[in-house]
Amino acid sequence: MGIPISKPYFGAEEFEAVQQPLESGWVVQGPMVHRFEQAFAAYTGAAHGIAASSCTTALHLAVAALGLARGDEVIVPAFTWISTANVVEYLGATPVFCDVRLDTFNIDVEQAAALVTPRTVGIIPVHLFGLCAELDPVLDLARRHNLWVVEDAACALGAFYRGRHAGTFGQAGCFSFHPRKSITTGEGGMITTADGSLDRVTRSLRDHGSVRSDFARHHERAGFLLSEYPYLGYNFRMTDIQGALGCAQLARAAWILERRSAIAARYAVRLSGVDWLRTPVVPDGYVHGFQAYVCLFGGDRIDTGEVHALHELRNGLMQRLEDRGIATRQGTHAAALQEFYRNKYQLAPEQFPNAYRADRLTLALPLYAQLTESEQDLVCDALREEAQRA
Ligand SMILES: *Cc1c(COP(=O)(O)O)cnc(C)c1O
């Protein structure tokens, strides 16, 4: 049995939870989704939680509700999961990619300021791998130019910035419950917002643009009449099976996050003498959610421009670890350099040197609640041994 990169944790509560909607027969966006929304909003300290079918659809709903349209520009980091940019593209607007910092993997706010044009309407900072972006500078920039801020908080459960939970800083925050994230509903997402009108509009847009949910219609008077549909909406609803699973997962989130944080702290100690590996930083004022434990391969050589040679060495190391049954992964990819964006906007690695290096040189280690100390030691020992063979 090998050591995977990640593994969801499901106990008896999850198995019981998913049976409830099957027994009641109400399986799509009903009481369980409602309960999950309330619990998630309370957990993060947000006024409203709006569940969606994924974080990608949550982001899509948020930017649509904010009025994003053709001709608009939105600043997004160049090193992020591709859907951060895709949601801008879906609405005919233009994602303007900004390079990231190599220490935090998050958007470089000074460079973002230089990208603002008269067409810029918003910015989507990403809290990559569970570390918040530099939110005060982002919010300052947004205020100065009258931009909205949608936080891509896909990875940011348990992430805090100056005492506040991720997803409560911008007009909206969007979370993911994909199995690679700290808690999972299979597929699933959540919008958090303090804005009552954004709450109303995103709820409507996720449900074909209706003003009254099916659950409300079936449980109130005049259920025989369909809702009104004032907007061009989508079907981005979460199922009640996912909602029930989400409630059970959220109930153990504190333990899951505690385990992840303890494992991350232990990696930092065990790998502290490894000079070819930069382990994640947690600046003052931040609580890292550790959705992933992402290191940078190459040590001092990272800054010398030998990216290609280091990339080959990293891949060789990852292959040898895989051969020994230990899964590692690249952190995420440079969205800006994926074929669609590279071709459409004529983008090249030289424009995003840090995003490019992060794409080529990140190395994520196994991280999940049930990872044991001896398994973690196995990972660390194998890393050291295999690196010496390079
Ligand atoms: C996982 C992830 C997403 C997409 O989440 P889905 O729920 O899979 O749609 C978006 N942005 C970032 C930064 C992510 O890590």
Side-chain angles (χ1 to χ4, degrees):
M1 251 308 280
I3 300 176
I5 188 72
S6 178
K7 201 190 306 191
Y9 186 93
F10 299 134
E13 292 82 355
E14 280 81 355
F15 285 84
E16 273 166 38
V18 295
Q19 287 184 32
Q20 292 174 36
L22 305 185
E23 281 160 9
S24 78
W26 194 280
V27 287
V28 164
Q29 193 186 283
M32 293 303 165
V33 166
H34 179 71
R35 196 189 290 177
F36 185 37
E37 290 176 335
Q38 301 273 306
F40 196 83
Y43 193 92
T44 54
H48 309 282
I50 304 99
S53 53
S54 70
C55 181
T56 303
T57 57
L59 287 163
H60 191 161
L61 288 171
V63 296
L66 286 162
L68 185 64
R70 199 165 292 281
D72 292 341
E73 293 177 0
V74 177
I75 297 172
V76 303
F79 182 62
T80 179
W81 185 244
I82 196 165
S83 64
T84 313
N86 287 353
V87 300
V88 176
E89 201 70 40
Y90 295 155
L91 292 161
T94 303
V96 175
F97 292 100
C98 179
D99 206 6
V100 295
R101 294 173 54 133
L102 213 47
D103 54 353
T104 61
F105 301 123
N106 281 327
I107 193 161
D108 183 327
V109 186
E110 264 179 46
Q111 291 194 43
L115 296 172
V116 175
T117 76
R119 289 169 174 264
T120 313
V121 296
I123 177 165
I124 308 182
V126 178
H127 309 315
L128 205 59
F129 311 135
L131 181 70
C132 284
E134 294 169 277
L135 282 160
D136 281 342
V138 166
L139 295 168
D140 272 352
L141 177 68
R143 260 190 300 271
R144 280 202 306 280
H145 298 281
N146 195 26
L147 314 177
W148 48 249
V149 175
V150 170
E151 302 169 58
D152 181 339
C155 312
L157 187 71
F160 289 81
Y161 178 79
R162 302 197 169 154
R164 264 166 66 191
H165 197 285
T168 62
F169 293 86
Q171 271 72 13
C174 297
F175 293 82
S176 173
F177 309 116
H178 181 273
R180 273 299 300 276
K181 310 305 200 274
S182 293
I183 67 169
T184 184
T185 58
E187 298 283 1
M190 186 78 71
I191 302 168
T192 48
T193 185
D195 180 334
S197 100
L198 205 60
D199 173 55
R200 210 167 45 251
V201 178
T202 51
R203 274 179 204 288
S204 170
L205 288 178
R206 82 167 162 189
D207 192 12
H208 303 288
S210 77
V211 291
R212 194 184 186 201
S213 75
D214 287 337
F215 192 75
R217 190 160 63 83
H218 284 254
H219 291 85
E220 292 167 2
R221 278 179 66 80
F224 49 85
L225 290 177
L226 280 172
S227 167
E228 297 294 324
Y229 291 82
Y231 308 113
L232 175 66
Y234 308 89
N235 179 356
F236 289 166
R237 291 179 304 234
M238 178 182 267
T239 69
D240 246 28
I241 306 163
Q242 293 166 306
L245 188 53
C247 290
Q249 286 272 280
L250 194 59
R252 61 168 100 252
W255 173 76
I256 289 175
L257 292 167
E258 205 177 281
R259 285 288 305 143
R260 300 180 82 88
S261 158
I263 294 164
R266 198 158 176 278
Y267 268 136
V269 172
R270 302 271 327 203
L271 299 172
S272 62
V274 182
D275 58 6
W276 45 267
L277 206 62
R278 289 187 196 164
T279 54
V281 299
V282 187
D284 282 349
Y286 292 71
V287 176
H288 203 311
F290 284 112
Q291 175 265 329
Y293 192 81
V294 181
C295 305
L296 200 56
F297 177 86
D300 292 337
R301 289 176 65 192
I302 295 165
D303 305 311
T304 61
E306 303 172 76
V307 180
H308 183 71
L310 288 173
H311 178 64
E312 295 298 317
L313 284 174
R314 183 205 67 168
N315 290 354
L317 172 64
M318 291 168 90
Q319 184 60 63
R320 291 194 298 282
L321 290 168
E322 186 177 89
D323 294 343
R324 286 175 65 162
I326 295 169
T328 60
R329 292 287 183 272
Q330 71 179 88
T332 186
H333 53 194
L337 301 175
Q338 301 309 302
E339 189 174 334
F340 175 81
Y341 290 109
R342 228 177 42 221
N343 289 345
K344 181 162 186 183
Y345 298 109
Q346 302 297 305
L347 304 175
E350 298 72 41
Q351 295 166 263
F352 314 102
N354 287 344
Y356 178 62
R357 284 188 283 187
D359 179 287
R360 301 277 110 175
L361 303 179
T362 42
L363 179 63
L365 300 180
L367 179 61
Y368 46 94
Q370 57 276 49
L371 185 73
T372 65
E373 289 198 348
S374 61
E375 287 169 329
Q376 200 183 2
D377 291 344
L378 212 68
V379 173
C380 294
D381 293 344
L383 251 184
R384 286 171 192 271
E385 283 165 29
E386 295 303 334
Q388 270 165 11
R389 293 208 209 162

